PDB file of all heavy atoms in Angstrom:
ATOM      1  N   ASP A 888     121.205 108.187 110.205  1.00  0.00           N
ATOM      2  CA  ASP A 888     121.402 107.066 111.235  1.00  0.00           C
ATOM      3  C   ASP A 888     122.351 107.698 112.408  1.00  0.00           C
ATOM      4  O   ASP A 888     122.337 107.074 113.453  1.00  0.00           O
ATOM      5  CB  ASP A 888     122.123 105.873 110.610  1.00  0.00           C
ATOM      6  CG  ASP A 888     121.223 105.176 109.579  1.00  0.00           C
ATOM      7  OD1 ASP A 888     120.009 105.218 109.794  1.00  0.00           O
ATOM      8  OD2 ASP A 888     121.694 104.698 108.627  1.00  0.00           O
ATOM      9  N   LYS A 889     123.173 108.645 112.006  1.00  0.00           N
ATOM     10  CA  LYS A 889     124.068 109.268 113.004  1.00  0.00           C
ATOM     11  C   LYS A 889     124.074 110.760 112.868  1.00  0.00           C
ATOM     12  O   LYS A 889     124.126 111.291 111.714  1.00  0.00           O
ATOM     13  CB  LYS A 889     125.389 108.643 112.680  1.00  0.00           C
ATOM     14  CG  LYS A 889     126.409 109.160 113.783  1.00  0.00           C
ATOM     15  CD  LYS A 889     127.849 108.446 113.540  1.00  0.00           C
ATOM     16  CE  LYS A 889     128.866 108.915 114.490  1.00  0.00           C
ATOM     17  NZ  LYS A 889     130.127 108.367 114.170  1.00  0.00           N
ATOM     18  N   GLY A 890     123.951 111.477 113.993  1.00  0.00           N
ATOM     19  CA  GLY A 890     123.983 112.935 113.856  1.00  0.00           C
ATOM     20  C   GLY A 890     123.485 113.485 115.180  1.00  0.00           C
ATOM     21  O   GLY A 890     123.682 112.997 116.174  1.00  0.00           O
ATOM     22  N   ILE A 891     122.679 114.695 115.118  1.00  0.00           N
ATOM     23  CA  ILE A 891     122.077 115.248 116.267  1.00  0.00           C
ATOM     24  C   ILE A 891     120.825 114.535 116.624  1.00  0.00           C
ATOM     25  O   ILE A 891     120.030 114.235 115.824  1.00  0.00           O
ATOM     26  CB  ILE A 891     121.800 116.794 115.893  1.00  0.00           C
ATOM     27  CG1 ILE A 891     123.137 117.522 115.552  1.00  0.00           C
ATOM     28  CG2 ILE A 891     121.136 117.396 117.122  1.00  0.00           C
ATOM     29  CD1 ILE A 891     122.884 118.907 115.090  1.00  0.00           C
ATOM     30  N   THR A 892     120.661 114.193 117.882  1.00  0.00           N
ATOM     31  CA  THR A 892     119.496 113.535 118.304  1.00  0.00           C
ATOM     32  C   THR A 892     118.269 114.412 118.672  1.00  0.00           C
ATOM     33  O   THR A 892     118.566 115.437 119.311  1.00  0.00           O
ATOM     34  CB  THR A 892     119.862 112.653 119.601  1.00  0.00           C
ATOM     35  OG1 THR A 892     120.857 111.797 119.210  1.00  0.00           O
ATOM     36  CG2 THR A 892     118.663 111.900 120.104  1.00  0.00           C
ATOM     37  N   ALA A 893     117.152 114.101 118.324  1.00  0.00           N
ATOM     38  CA  ALA A 893     116.036 114.970 118.520  1.00  0.00           C
ATOM     39  C   ALA A 893     114.734 114.038 118.635  1.00  0.00           C
ATOM     40  O   ALA A 893     114.676 112.916 118.224  1.00  0.00           O
ATOM     41  CB  ALA A 893     115.816 116.007 117.377  1.00  0.00           C
ATOM     42  N   LYS A 894     113.672 114.651 119.114  1.00  0.00           N
ATOM     43  CA  LYS A 894     112.405 113.915 119.329  1.00  0.00           C
ATOM     44  C   LYS A 894     111.271 114.641 118.455  1.00  0.00           C
ATOM     45  O   LYS A 894     111.189 115.870 118.517  1.00  0.00           O
ATOM     46  CB  LYS A 894     111.994 113.827 120.720  1.00  0.00           C
ATOM     47  CG  LYS A 894     110.783 112.929 121.041  1.00  0.00           C
ATOM     48  CD  LYS A 894     110.514 112.744 122.412  1.00  0.00           C
ATOM     49  CE  LYS A 894     109.238 111.939 122.695  1.00  0.00           C
ATOM     50  NZ  LYS A 894     108.996 111.728 124.061  1.00  0.00           N
ATOM     51  N   ILE A 895     110.460 113.880 117.738  1.00  0.00           N
ATOM     52  CA  ILE A 895     109.422 114.517 116.955  1.00  0.00           C
ATOM     53  C   ILE A 895     108.414 115.103 117.860  1.00  0.00           C
ATOM     54  O   ILE A 895     107.901 114.320 118.622  1.00  0.00           O
ATOM     55  CB  ILE A 895     108.776 113.489 115.921  1.00  0.00           C
ATOM     56  CG1 ILE A 895     109.935 113.040 115.036  1.00  0.00           C
ATOM     57  CG2 ILE A 895     107.783 114.124 115.301  1.00  0.00           C
ATOM     58  CD1 ILE A 895     109.398 111.834 114.078  1.00  0.00           C
ATOM     59  N   ASP A 896     108.021 116.300 117.747  1.00  0.00           N
ATOM     60  CA  ASP A 896     106.887 116.923 118.572  1.00  0.00           C
ATOM     61  C   ASP A 896     105.593 116.970 117.726  1.00  0.00           C
ATOM     62  O   ASP A 896     104.616 116.495 118.267  1.00  0.00           O
ATOM     63  CB  ASP A 896     107.318 118.407 118.905  1.00  0.00           C
ATOM     64  CG  ASP A 896     107.893 118.496 120.358  1.00  0.00           C
ATOM     65  OD1 ASP A 896     107.816 117.512 121.006  1.00  0.00           O
ATOM     66  OD2 ASP A 896     108.435 119.614 120.653  1.00  0.00           O
ATOM     67  N   VAL A 897     105.715 117.447 116.601  1.00  0.00           N
ATOM     68  CA  VAL A 897     104.505 117.663 115.645  1.00  0.00           C
ATOM     69  C   VAL A 897     104.917 117.374 114.199  1.00  0.00           C
ATOM     70  O   VAL A 897     105.997 117.565 113.806  1.00  0.00           O
ATOM     71  CB  VAL A 897     103.983 119.109 115.697  1.00  0.00           C
ATOM     72  CG1 VAL A 897     102.871 119.395 114.790  1.00  0.00           C
ATOM     73  CG2 VAL A 897     103.604 119.484 117.192  1.00  0.00           C
ATOM     74  N   THR A 898     103.944 116.800 113.472  1.00  0.00           N
ATOM     75  CA  THR A 898     104.251 116.430 112.082  1.00  0.00           C
ATOM     76  C   THR A 898     103.086 117.098 111.266  1.00  0.00           C
ATOM     77  O   THR A 898     101.924 117.200 111.684  1.00  0.00           O
ATOM     78  CB  THR A 898     104.367 115.010 111.760  1.00  0.00           C
ATOM     79  OG1 THR A 898     103.053 114.396 112.042  1.00  0.00           O
ATOM     80  CG2 THR A 898     105.391 114.395 112.418  1.00  0.00           C
ATOM     81  N   GLU A 899     103.453 117.721 110.144  1.00  0.00           N
ATOM     82  CA  GLU A 899     102.485 118.284 109.230  1.00  0.00           C
ATOM     83  C   GLU A 899     102.582 117.724 107.844  1.00  0.00           C
ATOM     84  O   GLU A 899     103.640 117.829 107.157  1.00  0.00           O
ATOM     85  CB  GLU A 899     102.651 119.782 109.080  1.00  0.00           C
ATOM     86  CG  GLU A 899     102.457 120.576 110.387  1.00  0.00           C
ATOM     87  CD  GLU A 899     102.891 122.076 110.292  1.00  0.00           C
ATOM     88  OE1 GLU A 899     103.947 122.411 109.906  1.00  0.00           O
ATOM     89  OE2 GLU A 899     101.968 122.905 110.456  1.00  0.00           O
ATOM     90  N   LEU A 900     101.680 116.937 107.284  1.00  0.00           N
ATOM     91  CA  LEU A 900     101.691 116.408 106.039  1.00  0.00           C
ATOM     92  C   LEU A 900     101.206 117.381 104.976  1.00  0.00           C
ATOM     93  O   LEU A 900     100.093 117.794 104.990  1.00  0.00           O
ATOM     94  CB  LEU A 900     100.892 115.118 105.994  1.00  0.00           C
ATOM     95  CG  LEU A 900     101.026 114.286 104.716  1.00  0.00           C
ATOM     96  CD1 LEU A 900     102.529 113.881 104.403  1.00  0.00           C
ATOM     97  CD2 LEU A 900     100.195 113.051 104.831  1.00  0.00           C
ATOM     98  N   MET A 901     102.123 117.815 104.110  1.00  0.00           N
ATOM     99  CA  MET A 901     101.746 118.937 103.092  1.00  0.00           C
ATOM    100  C   MET A 901     101.703 118.420 101.671  1.00  0.00           C
ATOM    101  O   MET A 901     101.935 119.058 100.725  1.00  0.00           O
ATOM    102  CB  MET A 901     102.850 120.058 103.250  1.00  0.00           C
ATOM    103  CG  MET A 901     103.186 120.478 104.528  1.00  0.00           C
ATOM    104  SD  MET A 901     101.937 121.344 105.365  1.00  0.00           S
ATOM    105  CE  MET A 901     102.089 122.952 104.522  1.00  0.00           C
ATOM    106  N   GLY A 902     101.216 117.058 101.564  1.00  0.00           N
ATOM    107  CA  GLY A 902     101.121 116.503 100.137  1.00  0.00           C
ATOM    108  C   GLY A 902     102.440 115.877  99.779  1.00  0.00           C
ATOM    109  O   GLY A 902     102.755 114.723 100.117  1.00  0.00           O
ATOM    110  N   SER A 903     103.313 116.727  99.065  1.00  0.00           N
ATOM    111  CA  SER A 903     104.567 116.108  98.676  1.00  0.00           C
ATOM    112  C   SER A 903     105.745 116.230  99.631  1.00  0.00           C
ATOM    113  O   SER A 903     106.758 115.753  99.362  1.00  0.00           O
ATOM    114  CB  SER A 903     104.955 116.858  97.309  1.00  0.00           C
ATOM    115  OG  SER A 903     105.085 118.312  97.560  1.00  0.00           O
ATOM    116  N   GLU A 904     105.391 117.053 100.734  1.00  0.00           N
ATOM    117  CA  GLU A 904     106.366 117.121 101.854  1.00  0.00           C
ATOM    118  C   GLU A 904     105.872 116.884 103.149  1.00  0.00           C
ATOM    119  O   GLU A 904     104.698 116.944 103.427  1.00  0.00           O
ATOM    120  CB  GLU A 904     106.861 118.645 101.837  1.00  0.00           C
ATOM    121  CG  GLU A 904     107.635 119.085 100.541  1.00  0.00           C
ATOM    122  CD  GLU A 904     107.994 120.591 100.587  1.00  0.00           C
ATOM    123  OE1 GLU A 904     107.304 121.302 101.514  1.00  0.00           O
ATOM    124  OE2 GLU A 904     108.870 120.973  99.829  1.00  0.00           O
ATOM    125  N   LEU A 905     106.775 116.363 103.981  1.00  0.00           N
ATOM    126  CA  LEU A 905     106.440 116.281 105.401  1.00  0.00           C
ATOM    127  C   LEU A 905     107.305 117.203 106.297  1.00  0.00           C
ATOM    128  O   LEU A 905     108.476 117.219 106.072  1.00  0.00           O
ATOM    129  CB  LEU A 905     106.730 114.793 105.867  1.00  0.00           C
ATOM    130  CG  LEU A 905     106.370 114.310 107.298  1.00  0.00           C
ATOM    131  CD1 LEU A 905     104.825 114.421 107.483  1.00  0.00           C
ATOM    132  CD2 LEU A 905     106.869 112.996 107.585  1.00  0.00           C
ATOM    133  N   HIS A 906     106.522 118.003 107.028  1.00  0.00           N
ATOM    134  CA  HIS A 906     107.221 118.995 107.891  1.00  0.00           C
ATOM    135  C   HIS A 906     107.285 118.395 109.306  1.00  0.00           C
ATOM    136  O   HIS A 906     106.190 118.055 109.883  1.00  0.00           O
ATOM    137  CB  HIS A 906     106.503 120.317 107.893  1.00  0.00           C
ATOM    138  CG  HIS A 906     106.481 121.108 106.670  1.00  0.00           C
ATOM    139  ND1 HIS A 906     106.279 122.432 106.570  1.00  0.00           N
ATOM    140  CD2 HIS A 906     106.824 120.737 105.346  1.00  0.00           C
ATOM    141  CE1 HIS A 906     106.392 122.788 105.274  1.00  0.00           C
ATOM    142  NE2 HIS A 906     106.761 121.756 104.582  1.00  0.00           N
ATOM    143  N   LEU A 907     108.534 118.180 109.774  1.00  0.00           N
ATOM    144  CA  LEU A 907     108.713 117.663 111.097  1.00  0.00           C
ATOM    145  C   LEU A 907     109.111 118.897 112.021  1.00  0.00           C
ATOM    146  O   LEU A 907     110.122 119.487 111.745  1.00  0.00           O
ATOM    147  CB  LEU A 907     109.816 116.585 111.166  1.00  0.00           C
ATOM    148  CG  LEU A 907     109.626 115.525 110.127  1.00  0.00           C
ATOM    149  CD1 LEU A 907     110.870 114.493 110.233  1.00  0.00           C
ATOM    150  CD2 LEU A 907     108.369 114.622 110.475  1.00  0.00           C
ATOM    151  N   HIS A 908     108.440 118.977 113.162  1.00  0.00           N
ATOM    152  CA  HIS A 908     108.907 119.881 114.229  1.00  0.00           C
ATOM    153  C   HIS A 908     109.588 119.128 115.404  1.00  0.00           C
ATOM    154  O   HIS A 908     108.944 118.302 115.955  1.00  0.00           O
ATOM    155  CB  HIS A 908     107.596 120.660 114.697  1.00  0.00           C
ATOM    156  CG  HIS A 908     106.999 121.481 113.794  1.00  0.00           C
ATOM    157  ND1 HIS A 908     107.126 122.924 113.779  1.00  0.00           N
ATOM    158  CD2 HIS A 908     106.219 121.263 112.758  1.00  0.00           C
ATOM    159  CE1 HIS A 908     106.565 123.472 112.777  1.00  0.00           C
ATOM    160  NE2 HIS A 908     105.984 122.490 112.119  1.00  0.00           N
ATOM    161  N   LEU A 909     110.785 119.260 115.537  1.00  0.00           N
ATOM    162  CA  LEU A 909     111.540 118.493 116.361  1.00  0.00           C
ATOM    163  C   LEU A 909     111.892 119.259 117.658  1.00  0.00           C
ATOM    164  O   LEU A 909     112.178 120.455 117.616  1.00  0.00           O
ATOM    165  CB  LEU A 909     112.901 118.074 115.739  1.00  0.00           C
ATOM    166  CG  LEU A 909     112.809 117.405 114.426  1.00  0.00           C
ATOM    167  CD1 LEU A 909     114.217 117.040 113.867  1.00  0.00           C
ATOM    168  CD2 LEU A 909     112.007 116.188 114.432  1.00  0.00           C
ATOM    169  N   ASN A 910     112.029 118.438 118.832  1.00  0.00           N
ATOM    170  CA  ASN A 910     112.549 119.040 120.108  1.00  0.00           C
ATOM    171  C   ASN A 910     113.986 118.589 120.091  1.00  0.00           C
ATOM    172  O   ASN A 910     114.270 117.477 120.253  1.00  0.00           O
ATOM    173  CB  ASN A 910     111.793 118.506 121.198  1.00  0.00           C
ATOM    174  CG  ASN A 910     112.232 119.075 122.493  1.00  0.00           C
ATOM    175  OD1 ASN A 910     113.468 119.522 122.635  1.00  0.00           O
ATOM    176  ND2 ASN A 910     111.467 119.102 123.486  1.00  0.00           N
ATOM    177  N   SER A 911     114.905 119.497 119.793  1.00  0.00           N
ATOM    178  CA  SER A 911     116.279 119.168 119.675  1.00  0.00           C
ATOM    179  C   SER A 911     117.044 119.883 120.794  1.00  0.00           C
ATOM    180  O   SER A 911     117.352 121.076 120.679  1.00  0.00           O
ATOM    181  CB  SER A 911     116.880 119.697 118.270  1.00  0.00           C
ATOM    182  OG  SER A 911     118.196 119.232 118.092  1.00  0.00           O
ATOM    183  N   ASP A 912     117.206 119.221 121.796  1.00  0.00           N
ATOM    184  CA  ASP A 912     117.890 119.708 123.131  1.00  0.00           C
ATOM    185  C   ASP A 912     117.175 120.940 123.622  1.00  0.00           C
ATOM    186  O   ASP A 912     117.762 121.938 123.926  1.00  0.00           O
ATOM    187  CB  ASP A 912     119.414 120.049 122.808  1.00  0.00           C
ATOM    188  CG  ASP A 912     120.236 120.299 124.006  1.00  0.00           C
ATOM    189  OD1 ASP A 912     119.794 119.802 125.091  1.00  0.00           O
ATOM    190  OD2 ASP A 912     121.235 120.953 123.982  1.00  0.00           O
ATOM    191  N   GLY A 913     115.960 120.831 123.650  1.00  0.00           N
ATOM    192  CA  GLY A 913     114.965 121.947 124.070  1.00  0.00           C
ATOM    193  C   GLY A 913     114.684 122.952 123.075  1.00  0.00           C
ATOM    194  O   GLY A 913     114.019 123.970 123.319  1.00  0.00           O
ATOM    195  N   LYS A 914     115.231 122.873 121.897  1.00  0.00           N
ATOM    196  CA  LYS A 914     114.987 123.846 120.812  1.00  0.00           C
ATOM    197  C   LYS A 914     114.121 123.281 119.694  1.00  0.00           C
ATOM    198  O   LYS A 914     114.288 122.214 119.389  1.00  0.00           O
ATOM    199  CB  LYS A 914     116.389 124.290 120.255  1.00  0.00           C
ATOM    200  CG  LYS A 914     116.285 125.313 119.071  1.00  0.00           C
ATOM    201  CD  LYS A 914     117.612 125.754 118.662  1.00  0.00           C
ATOM    202  CE  LYS A 914     117.446 126.911 117.643  1.00  0.00           C
ATOM    203  NZ  LYS A 914     116.761 127.941 118.049  1.00  0.00           N
ATOM    204  N   ASP A 915     113.188 124.122 119.241  1.00  0.00           N
ATOM    205  CA  ASP A 915     112.276 123.761 118.147  1.00  0.00           C
ATOM    206  C   ASP A 915     112.991 123.832 116.771  1.00  0.00           C
ATOM    207  O   ASP A 915     113.409 124.895 116.475  1.00  0.00           O
ATOM    208  CB  ASP A 915     110.953 124.616 118.171  1.00  0.00           C
ATOM    209  CG  ASP A 915     110.061 124.221 117.013  1.00  0.00           C
ATOM    210  OD1 ASP A 915     109.779 122.943 117.003  1.00  0.00           O
ATOM    211  OD2 ASP A 915     109.583 125.054 116.214  1.00  0.00           O
ATOM    212  N   VAL A 916     113.046 122.731 116.044  1.00  0.00           N
ATOM    213  CA  VAL A 916     113.784 122.692 114.856  1.00  0.00           C
ATOM    214  C   VAL A 916     112.758 122.085 113.783  1.00  0.00           C
ATOM    215  O   VAL A 916     112.107 121.061 114.009  1.00  0.00           O
ATOM    216  CB  VAL A 916     115.087 121.810 114.843  1.00  0.00           C
ATOM    217  CG1 VAL A 916     115.749 121.623 113.530  1.00  0.00           C
ATOM    218  CG2 VAL A 916     116.078 122.305 115.852  1.00  0.00           C
ATOM    219  N   VAL A 917     112.634 122.833 112.704  1.00  0.00           N
ATOM    220  CA  VAL A 917     111.750 122.400 111.635  1.00  0.00           C
ATOM    221  C   VAL A 917     112.599 121.704 110.509  1.00  0.00           C
ATOM    222  O   VAL A 917     113.589 122.208 110.026  1.00  0.00           O
ATOM    223  CB  VAL A 917     110.952 123.519 111.044  1.00  0.00           C
ATOM    224  CG1 VAL A 917     110.060 123.089 109.881  1.00  0.00           C
ATOM    225  CG2 VAL A 917     110.208 124.277 112.142  1.00  0.00           C
ATOM    226  N   VAL A 918     112.154 120.565 110.117  1.00  0.00           N
ATOM    227  CA  VAL A 918     112.779 119.807 108.977  1.00  0.00           C
ATOM    228  C   VAL A 918     111.714 119.613 107.823  1.00  0.00           C
ATOM    229  O   VAL A 918     110.585 119.118 108.128  1.00  0.00           O
ATOM    230  CB  VAL A 918     113.237 118.378 109.486  1.00  0.00           C
ATOM    231  CG1 VAL A 918     114.078 117.647 108.307  1.00  0.00           C
ATOM    232  CG2 VAL A 918     114.246 118.657 110.570  1.00  0.00           C
ATOM    233  N   VAL A 919     112.047 119.788 106.588  1.00  0.00           N
ATOM    234  CA  VAL A 919     111.170 119.500 105.459  1.00  0.00           C
ATOM    235  C   VAL A 919     111.805 118.410 104.702  1.00  0.00           C
ATOM    236  O   VAL A 919     112.897 118.506 104.229  1.00  0.00           O
ATOM    237  CB  VAL A 919     111.017 120.734 104.663  1.00  0.00           C
ATOM    238  CG1 VAL A 919     110.164 120.364 103.314  1.00  0.00           C
ATOM    239  CG2 VAL A 919     110.335 121.874 105.479  1.00  0.00           C
TER     240      VAL A 919
END
């Protein structure tokens, strides 16, 4: 609810995991 703000660019549904590619202050960040 509180932390670094980012926007979702791309999502990949991998079955048991969701990979989120975020635009975080212009940087690509991957979250699993």
Side-chain angles (χ1 to χ4, degrees):
D888 296 328
K889 186 179 178 183
I891 301 171
T892 301
K894 188 177 180 182
I895 298 174
D896 264 348
V897 176
T898 61
E899 298 174 297
L900 187 55
M901 312 290 283
S903 61
E904 294 175 342
L905 183 64
H906 292 200
L907 304 176
H908 293 258
L909 310 179
N910 182 334
S911 184
D912 195 22
K914 180 169 184 57
D915 183 50
V916 175
V917 180
V918 180
V919 174

